[in-house]
């Protein structure tokens, strides 16, 4: 019954770089497969032009021929509008020569024009000693050291997703605040079995950031959006760490004062992202469309109160609403584009 004002923000106040999108998918543990485009460049561009998005960073383009196809159809065909990242060859991770092969694949990706490296939560939660069987491989496993060093030397930032919301590590029972989300996606539960805790995964990622100070890491989903004091401690200790906000305005927006203080304090290291997937109807908080961007802009640019964080009848990540944080212009500009542009080596 609450009467509260709705501010419609149809376009971002400044041109946006969306640092976290999935226009393509290029396979996983079972090998590269054939790259799939969830939408054409033209389909994306119409939303981008309406919503003031100058550039979409497509993170999941694989490597080799898949990567080349994504670069050709997106980055090369539409200069400045799309950037493409490469991914590790997970299916080769059990091979004896993997460390060298992976470092070589990074150099190959760089030659093809890849702008960075995406590491899915596959590392830490799915990838095992025999790829799909055996013990889980740790995020800080030494076999990846040549990969982390190679991207650092080539100035390719790493977009890394590790761990997940705390509720995903708890029993799916009536006390779990994401009960409905976990019922919709049971494979997102990492409770029990041999899974490490959320904090163990976070700490393993910190070991990697410590060991590779020349490599720039963008910890996706605010690293650990439910524990901003912990993320602050990490940012204070690791100058090569950055964060982006994709799919976590539900978390940031239910702690609007802490969130705005956090973004203000780390204003040079927080960037805009959505985790947008064209036609991704299973996750309303990630469907690439006008509505998605309007919600992000409303959260960042207004002080509207108590509104939905996703375009869905039932809030998909938990039954609560969010509050806008109305960032200052200078901070907004950095978050929307300047921080990402600096890291990607493109003009602001
Ligand atoms: Zn993502």
């Amino acid at each position: 019954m609450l009467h509260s004002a709705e501010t419609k923000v149809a376009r971002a106040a400044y041109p946006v770089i969306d640092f976290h999108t999935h226009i393509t998918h290029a396979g996983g543990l079972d090998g590269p497969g054939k790259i799939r485009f969830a939408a054409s460049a033209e389909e994306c561009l119409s939303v981008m032009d309406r919503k003031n998005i100058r550039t979409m960073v497509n993170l999941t383009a694989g490597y080799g021929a898949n990567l080349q196809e994504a670069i050709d159809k997106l980055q090369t065909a539409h200069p400045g509008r799309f950037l493409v990242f490469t991914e590790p060859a997970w299916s080769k991770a059990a091979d004896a020569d993997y460390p060298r092969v992976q470092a070589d694949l990074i150099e190959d990706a760089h030659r093809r024009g890849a702008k960075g490296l995406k590491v899915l939560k596959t590392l830490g939660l799915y990838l095992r000693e025999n790829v799909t069987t055996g013990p889980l491989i740790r995020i800080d496993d030494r076999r990846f050291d040549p990969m982390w060093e190679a991207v650092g030397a080539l100035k390719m930032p790493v977009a890394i997703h590790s761990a997940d919301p705390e509720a995903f590590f708890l029993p799916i029972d009536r006390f779990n605040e994401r009960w409905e989300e976990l019922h919709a996606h049971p494979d997102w539960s990492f409770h029990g079995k041999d899974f490490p805790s959320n904090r163990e995964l976070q700490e393993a990622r910190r070991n990697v950031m410590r060991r590779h100070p020349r490599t720039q890491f963008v910890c996706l989903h605010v690293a650990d959006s439910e524990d901003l004091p912990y993320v602050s401690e990490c940012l204070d200790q690791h100058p090569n760490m950055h964060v982006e906000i994709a799919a976590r305005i539900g978390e940031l927006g239910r702690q609007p004062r802490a969130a705005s203080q956090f973004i203000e304090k780390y204003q040079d290291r927080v960037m805009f992202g959505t985790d947008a997937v064209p036609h991704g109807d299973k996750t309303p908080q990630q469907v690439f469309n006008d509505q998605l961007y309007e919600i992000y802009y409303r959260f960042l640019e207004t002080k509207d109160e108590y509104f939905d964080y996703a375009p869905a009848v039932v809030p998909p990540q938990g039954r609560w609403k969010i509050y806008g944080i109305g960032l200052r212009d200078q901070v907004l500009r950095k978050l929307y584009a300047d921080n990402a542009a600096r890291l990607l080596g493109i003009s602001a």
Side-chain angles (χ1 to χ4, degrees), residues 12-19 54 218 242-245 262-273 300-301 327-344 346-348:
Y14 301 102
V16 166
I17 297 174
D18 187 340
F19 192 81
R54 66 177 255 206
V218 181
H242 315 258
V243 297
E244 64 82 65
I245 64 169
F262 173 86
I263 295 175
E264 182 76 32
K265 180 167 181 198
Y266 300 103
Q267 57 183 271
D268 296 309
R269 295 160 76 185
V270 185
M271 48 206 87
F272 181 90
L300 295 166
E301 295 189 26
L327 293 173
R328 297 187 293 129
D329 269 12
Q330 178 202 328
V331 176
L332 213 45
R333 207 188 272 263
K334 291 179 178 179
L335 178 138
Y336 272 152
D338 292 0
N339 294 341
R342 194 172 58 246
L343 213 53
L344 293 163
I346 58 176
S347 64

Side-chain angles (χ1 to χ4, degrees), residues 168 171-174 176 178-189 316:
F168 292 10
I172 309 178
D173 61 17
R174 69 192 189 281
N176 193 310
R178 292 174 180 258
W179 190 89
E180 286 160 304
E181 185 180 26
L182 286 165
H183 270 268
H185 307 275
D187 55 317
W188 289 358
S189 173

Side-chain angles (χ1 to χ4, degrees), residues 117-133:
L117 172 70
K118 166 72 194 270
V119 175
L120 293 163
K121 67 183 172 188
T122 300
L123 181 58
L125 288 169
Y126 298 110
L127 181 67
R128 293 174 180 273
E129 282 298 339
N130 307 310
V131 183
T132 54
T133 59

Side-chain angles (χ1 to χ4, degrees), residues 58-253:
N58 176 45
L59 294 179
T60 35
Y63 59 94
N66 281 338
L67 175 68
Q68 189 65 54
E69 189 175 341
I71 289 175
D72 290 346
K73 290 186 177 160
L74 297 170
Q75 189 171 298
T76 308
H78 304 276
R81 304 308 302 276
F82 299 98
L83 297 175
V84 174
F85 276 34
T86 187
E87 292 177 280
W90 300 125
S91 60
K92 300 181 196 289
D95 301 354
D97 59 352
Y98 173 73
R100 184 187 51 77
V101 167
Q102 184 59 69
D104 290 348
L105 280 172
I106 295 295
E107 293 196 1
D108 175 73
H110 183 260
R111 275 193 296 274
R112 293 175 191 270
K115 296 295 177 196
L117 172 70
K118 166 72 194 270
V119 175
L120 293 163
K121 67 183 172 188
T122 300
L123 181 58
L125 288 169
Y126 298 110
L127 181 67
R128 293 174 180 273
E129 282 298 339
N130 307 310
V131 183
T132 54
T133 59
L136 285 162
I137 296 176
R138 288 177 57 92
I139 296 172
D140 56 5
D141 191 287
R142 291 281 179 185
R143 81 188 74 187
F144 302 109
D145 282 349
M147 172 177 82
W148 305 127
E149 281 302 302
V151 286
L154 295 166
K155 299 208 180 332
M156 295 163 74
V158 180
I160 181 167
H161 174 176
S162 308
D164 252 337
E166 293 192 15
F168 292 10
F169 295 84
L170 297 172
I172 309 178
D173 61 17
R174 69 192 189 281
F175 302 110
N176 193 310
E177 70 174 357
R178 292 174 180 258
W179 190 89
E180 286 160 304
E181 185 180 26
L182 286 165
H183 270 268
H185 307 275
D187 55 317
W188 289 358
S189 173
F190 303 111
H191 171 64
K193 298 180 197 148
D194 60 345
F195 294 116
S197 67
N198 174 43
R199 187 52 58 90
E200 283 167 338
L201 293 161
Q202 299 281 350
E203 287 296 311
R205 177 167 60 183
R206 288 179 81 175
N207 291 339
V208 174
M209 292 192 285
R210 254 183 227 112
R211 279 211 305 261
H212 304 282
R214 284 194 313 167
T215 306
Q216 302 301 314
F217 293 87
V218 181
C219 297
L220 304 175
H221 310 301
V222 208
D224 189 352
S225 56
E226 294 158 298
D227 194 346
L228 294 180
Y230 174 69
V231 182
S232 302
E233 181 195 311
C234 296
L235 284 161
D236 289 342
Q237 278 185 20
H238 312 300
N240 56 335
M241 173 179 173
H242 315 258
V243 297
E244 64 82 65
I245 64 169
R248 292 297 180 275
I249 60 170
E251 293 301 335
L252 296 175

